[in-house]
Amino acid sequence: MSMSSSPGEDLLAIEEAANNFLSQEYDFRRRNIYLQGTGNVERSLWRRFADLGWLGLSLPEDYGGAGGSAVESWMLLQRLGAYLVLEPYLSSVVVCGWPLVTHGRKQVRDRLLPELIAGRIQLSLALNEPEGKHPNIITTLATPMDGGWRLVGHKSVVLGAPTADYLLLSARCDAQRIVLLIRPDDAGVMIRPYRLIDGRTAGEILFDGARVGPDSLLAVGPEADELLDVARLAGAFGCVAESVGVMKAALAATVEHVRARRQFGQALSGFQAIRHRIAAMHIACEEADALGWRAAQAYSLADPKERLAAIAAAKSDVGQSARRVCEEAVQFHGAIAITDEFPVGHYLKRAVVNERLFGNSELWTEHFSKAVFGWP
Amino acid sequence: MSDVPVADELGGFRAEVQRFLVSALPPELAARTKAGHTLSRDELMFWHRTLHGRGWVAPGWPTEHGGAGWSILQRHIYDEEAARAGAPSIIPMALTIVGPLLIAHGTDAQRTKYLPRILDGSEIWCQAWSEPEAGSDLASLRCHAERIGDEYVVNGTKIWTTFAQWADRCMLLARTATGDRQQFGITILLIDMKDPGVSIRPLPSLDGMHVLNQVYFDNVRVLVSDRVGPEDEGWGLLKSTVGHERILNADVGRARALLDRLIRTVQANPGAQPGLRSRVARAAIRLRSLEVLVMRALDSPDPANASGASIIKLLGTELQQEASWLMSEALGLYGLPYLPDVMQNGWQNEIPIGPDDAATVTPFYLFWRKASISAGTSEIMRNLIAQQVLGR
């Protein structure tokens, strides 16, 4: 397998451009103002993301994208994590946009992707269910009726649901899985919106006999299975990339703090016990970065098994280690990091959410064992 | 969890505590406490007055000052039973720090003026110690008090002051002199929070709740008669009360209550991952060792200063943090929604989002990162332990 060991100049340019924009428009003070908003995330910022080329960064040129691969998004997603960006980039572009490049009914994809890349719509994947310990178990029912479907079920903790213009809904139809494209304002669809602990929006979606027409079909049977698998992998990868950005930001803040903070007549950075723990945080960041980079490169590989293994390895490791680095960052900062008006505690919140979304470390360790060793 | 075995003669005491809790603790309040809801001032003060009515609000104070006069072992038994029953933790500062300090070092006039109002709950106290630049290195504090006639004039700021927004009075550590040793020149003053020179800035925590504050003192005047002990000698007086706070903060009862709740959460969730179950078991094992360490400390001649006290604080808070994290993990995705109204009031007329008590869990995990920071950080505890093992 050939891969470059680290990002080249073109990729670093993406990082720099993102830093330039976000440090101006998304510093912690502005972010808190956005957070106080209605929950209907500022679409003006979303459209600027489109203007910057972010929404189509890893989507095909045919649809108005930049035609990049996952490594371009690896650079950007880290920055979105580091700046604690609240917009539904992960849920809309990565989790829904990426699978639509290769999966789903062509008429629907051809219509949605240009709109998504241009910043005119947001999407959300309604996958999880309240009882579904395993994401493959789907109990929401789509019963065929008058050429369309009648929907009954409950989707839980759907990231980005409150602001989405379209939902990609997974359901069961006879013995198969089906993915339907529905609108949140369709009759019989109810959304209970809320924020997650890290400030991003999510919601419960209840279907009580909602009727949708034949046009809403996106994929059924094996095609639906594949679409959902690709979406889950993309979600896992997106969480990894964001969290690597988060942990690097937490480490940077901590390094600055221990250099500046003086107690007992010297800077905290002078205590050997502190130095060793900073070293451990740095090592964790380097390992996470390495696994995330490998996962990003694996997106270009033909072998789906190696792609799965690379993403599973990264999600398994980064989920936990990002949280631990952020817990250490809080501990080093002391009580100030327990307050909501200081950024370090918010890194921890973001790491906690990303660790759990799309499967936790334990689940992805199992996926890894299965993909690499064939262990059940 | 099983109780740590205690001498037979205390079995009767435990039964008495259990009877009291059954009769005096309203089930709704116990349920709210167990579910981790943020309790209101009224709820906390209701329980304070209930304990006062029974004569148990100040368990460690001597009886001649209105305390229960319990031994430290009795207090430990009470804490265990209270945690198990879901009794709230009352606002602690006046009872664990200010009261013992006044009893040991205050004047008769101070005791007469303040102790009865602490006991009956008519005055709430806060303690203003830490400063933005003086955290673990508390003795480097700079909030300044200048003696002018029969008054001190205080200027400066204090931070992480718990419940300052409710407090009527404040126990302040102020700098009255500077010398070679920074521990010298610290004076304990009792402040009236209604003084026009006192102002408060709320510091919402990671869970969105308001407990912590920064307090500003702008030419606040304090009578010399509200100084505790001699001028400049407050540090020594304080040391005799901090050990006290430390062993209470270890709060094994809290660790056990969290672990009990964790086990209930996992049992209610048959799909819990094997790895999670094994980590829960590991936490329960660590609690068992902690229980014995606590018993050893309690059996020592001076429990508050026992060599195990730092270990207990360190392990106890780590265990609490681990239990609260595992509880969050056990909830899966339903550990992620942030629902501040539900954290305070529970679900009213709506269908709950996720399990009934889920809303309080992850916010508590976030807030409780505080446990390894306040009342002596884990780093300070390790320093103390290393000193005991290695010498200075």
Side-chain angles (χ1 to χ4, degrees):
Chain A
M1 157 180 153
S2 92
M3 67 176 215
S4 58
S5 64
S6 54
E9 267 177 36
D10 48 337
L11 293 183
L12 293 173
I14 294 173
E15 179 179 57
E16 193 187 340
N19 278 338
N20 287 341
F21 178 79
L22 293 168
S23 61
Q24 292 292 313
E25 303 292 334
Y26 230 104
D27 59 289
F28 190 63
R29 188 188 62 82
R30 280 195 182 78
R31 180 204 186 253
N32 281 341
I33 295 168
Y34 304 148
L35 187 57
Q36 301 312 315
T38 57
N40 194 0
V41 179
E42 291 283 338
R43 286 290 175 106
S44 60
L45 271 167
W46 189 250
R47 278 188 288 271
R48 293 186 68 186
F49 289 6
D51 296 341
L52 289 161
W54 289 0
L55 303 182
L57 191 60
S58 300
L59 294 173
E61 286 166 295
D62 291 351
Y63 295 119
S69 67
V71 289
E72 280 83 3
S73 290
W74 160 248
M75 305 305 288
L76 176 64
L77 282 160
Q78 286 187 66
R79 298 297 92 205
L80 298 180
Y83 282 90
L84 303 166
V85 168
L86 297 160
E87 276 68 12
Y89 189 94
L90 174 68
S91 55
S92 191
V93 174
V94 180
V95 174
C96 294
W98 290 15
L100 287 177
V101 174
T102 45
H103 292 81
R105 209 151 55 87
K106 189 154 188 324
Q107 297 95 303
V108 183
R109 291 152 52 185
D110 288 353
R111 182 161 59 84
L112 288 181
L113 283 171
E115 297 279 296
L116 176 70
I117 291 168
R120 286 191 288 271
I121 59 166
Q122 292 177 351
L123 306 173
S124 170
L125 175 69
L127 178 67
N128 316 303
E129 300 189 354
E131 301 302 327
K133 283 300 150 201
H134 201 279
N136 283 336
I137 300 167
I138 293 172
T139 60
T140 297
L141 279 183
T143 310
M145 190 168 285
D146 306 332
W149 293 268
R150 180 174 182 275
L151 304 173
V152 176
H154 179 179
K155 294 290 178 178
S156 57
V157 197
V158 178
L159 189 66
T163 61
D165 301 285
Y166 293 94
L167 301 167
L168 276 60
L169 169 71
S170 66
R172 225 154 39 88
C173 179
D174 302 325
Q176 306 190 93
R177 268 181 276 178
I178 189 170
V179 181
L180 299 169
L181 185 77
I182 64 166
R183 295 196 61 114
D185 48 9
D186 284 342
V189 180
M190 192 187 90
I191 298 190
R192 289 176 79 183
Y194 46 78
R195 288 188 186 276
L196 300 182
I197 51 162
D198 70 347
R200 281 181 286 180
T201 60
E204 301 296 292
I205 313 180
L206 302 161
F207 302 93
D208 181 17
R211 300 280 200 92
V212 294
D215 290 350
S216 58
L217 178 68
L218 201 52
V220 67
E223 176 73 358
D225 295 344
E226 276 185 32
L227 189 154
L228 294 174
D229 283 345
V230 174
R232 257 197 303 270
L233 272 184
F237 172 74
C239 287
V240 165
E242 273 198 15
S243 281
V244 170
V246 169
M247 67 202 285
K248 287 178 184 170
L251 174 62
T254 307
V255 167
E256 198 179 318
H257 175 75
V258 297
R259 282 183 178 149
R261 175 79 172 176
R262 299 182 69 83
Q263 294 281 271
F264 305 107
Q266 63 169 312
L268 293 185
S269 59
F271 293 96
Q272 192 183 41
I274 303 270
R275 297 178 73 85
H276 284 185
R277 281 162 65 188
I278 293 282
M281 290 167 76
H282 176 71
I283 292 166
C285 286
E286 291 291 299
E287 285 187 296
D289 184 274
L291 286 168
W293 174 246
R294 191 161 178 170
Q297 299 237 319
Y299 259 104
S300 308
L301 298 177
D303 180 5
K305 214 168 87 177
E306 175 53 28
R307 195 183 313 150
L308 171 62
I311 293 168
K315 184 72 165 88
S316 166
D317 178 83
V318 174
Q320 280 186 32
S321 79
R323 171 173 53 87
R324 294 213 172 110
V325 163
C326 291
E327 285 177 348
E328 279 283 81
V330 168
Q331 182 71 22
F332 276 128
H333 279 83
I336 190 147
I338 303 295
T339 66
D340 230 12
E341 56 185 41
F342 195 74
V344 169
H346 294 266
Y347 296 140
L348 176 59
K349 293 181 182 185
R350 185 79 162 216
V352 164
V353 173
N354 283 343
E355 177 177 1
R356 206 165 304 170
L357 288 176
F358 303 102
N360 64 7
S361 291
E362 188 172 347
L363 183 72
W364 285 98
T365 307
E366 286 168 21
H367 288 336
F368 178 84
S369 314
K370 196 172 171 189
V372 177
F373 311 127
W375 295 345
Chain B
M1 297 285 124
S2 60
D3 294 324
V4 169
V6 296
D8 287 345
E9 64 269 23
L10 286 169
F13 176 75
R14 189 183 288 278
E16 187 186 357
V17 170
Q18 287 168 343
R19 277 195 305 277
F20 164 74
L21 290 167
V22 166
S23 66
L25 179 63
E28 319 82 71
L29 182 58
R32 278 175 52 69
T33 308
K34 283 188 171 177
H37 292 302
T38 306
L39 300 182
S40 68
R41 175 182 175 161
D42 284 350
E43 286 172 307
L44 294 172
M45 294 317 291
F46 161 79
W47 188 241
H48 181 114
R49 287 191 301 271
T50 304
L51 287 170
H52 178 57
R54 184 66 179 77
W56 288 358
V57 77
W61 297 13
T63 46
E64 67 262 35
H65 294 294
W70 287 347
S71 69
I72 201 147
L73 195 51
Q74 284 176 300
R75 295 169 63 183
H76 179 71
I77 290 170
Y78 174 82
D79 287 345
E80 280 183 346
E81 292 301 325
R84 178 174 300 134
S89 302
I90 56 177
I91 302 171
M93 282 70 76
L95 293 160
T96 59
I97 305 281
V98 180
L101 181 78
L102 291 180
I103 289 166
H105 306 288
T107 62
D108 284 342
Q110 287 169 341
R111 286 193 280 260
T112 308
K113 182 177 175 189
Y114 295 122
L115 295 187
R117 301 175 69 76
I118 288 175
L119 289 167
D120 69 14
S122 54
E123 285 184 347
I124 295 176
W125 286 69
C126 61
Q127 63 192 43
W129 296 6
S130 296
E131 297 178 9
E133 300 300 324
S136 285
D137 187 7
L138 183 61
S140 68
L141 63 89
R142 291 192 301 219
C143 181
H144 180 74
E146 186 182 0
R147 175 89 181 250
I148 300 175
D150 61 353
E151 287 181 330
Y152 289 94
V153 179
V154 179
N155 282 288
T157 185
K158 293 284 176 177
I159 200 161
W160 322 127
T161 312
T162 303
F163 292 136
Q165 76 271 28
W166 296 343
D168 303 287
R169 298 193 178 272
C170 169
M171 175 198 158
L172 176 80
L173 299 183
R175 169 77 50 201
T176 41
T178 49
D180 292 343
R181 287 177 61 251
Q182 59 181 11
Q183 286 80 0
F184 176 79
I186 293 171
T187 300
I188 300 176
L189 299 174
L190 307 178
I191 305 269
D192 183 347
M193 292 293 278
K194 285 183 281 296
D195 187 290
V198 175
S199 56
I200 293 172
R201 183 170 74 96
L203 297 169
S205 318
L206 290 179
D207 57 357
M209 300 294 131
H210 176 199
V211 173
L212 305 172
N213 301 274
Q214 184 162 7
V215 183
Y216 299 90
F217 302 91
D218 179 18
N219 287 319
V220 173
R221 293 174 179 281
V222 190
L223 290 171
V224 169
S225 60
D226 276 329
R227 183 189 73 213
V228 182
E231 189 173 277
D232 299 333
E233 304 285 349
W235 188 260
L237 308 187
L238 192 65
K239 276 183 81 175
S240 65
T241 52
V242 168
H244 229 73
E245 183 191 40
R246 196 156 282 161
I247 200 152
L248 293 173
N249 251 306
D251 216 346
V252 181
R254 186 195 287 272
R256 179 183 300 179
L258 284 168
L259 214 58
D260 283 346
R261 190 176 166 204
L262 167 63
I263 291 160
R264 285 197 304 275
T265 307
V266 173
Q267 277 167 348
N269 180 356
Q273 294 166 304
L276 177 75
R277 285 168 181 270
S278 128
R279 283 181 291 150
V280 170
R282 175 75 195 134
I285 290 165
R286 293 180 68 199
L287 176 66
R288 286 176 163 251
S289 90
L290 185 60
E291 286 170 338
V292 176
L293 295 178
V294 169
M295 292 312 296
R296 284 188 186 161
L298 294 177
D299 277 342
S300 78
D302 180 9
N305 295 305
S307 65
S310 303
I311 298 177
I312 293 164
K313 198 281 179 179
L314 182 75
L315 294 184
T317 51
E318 279 182 354
L319 194 54
Q320 291 164 19
Q321 291 177 333
E322 174 72 1
S324 55
W325 170 252
L326 291 172
M327 199 145 45
S328 172
E329 273 204 82
L331 291 169
L333 290 172
Y334 276 131
L336 300 181
Y338 176 61
L339 304 160
D341 292 343
V342 182
M343 283 168 62
Q344 295 187 65
N345 305 316
W347 290 101
Q348 302 294 314
N349 299 314
E350 292 172 284
I351 301 165
I353 292 170
D356 277 9
D357 298 341
T360 58
V361 173
T362 309
F364 180 76
Y365 153 78
L366 291 165
F367 176 63
W368 210 239
R369 300 311 301 169
K370 168 182 181 294
S372 52
I373 294 169
S374 54
T377 63
S378 291
E379 288 73 25
I380 294 290
M381 294 304 118
R382 289 195 174 88
N383 279 343
L384 293 170
I385 295 161
Q387 272 171 25
Q388 285 161 6
V389 179
L390 296 168
R392 278 187 178 272

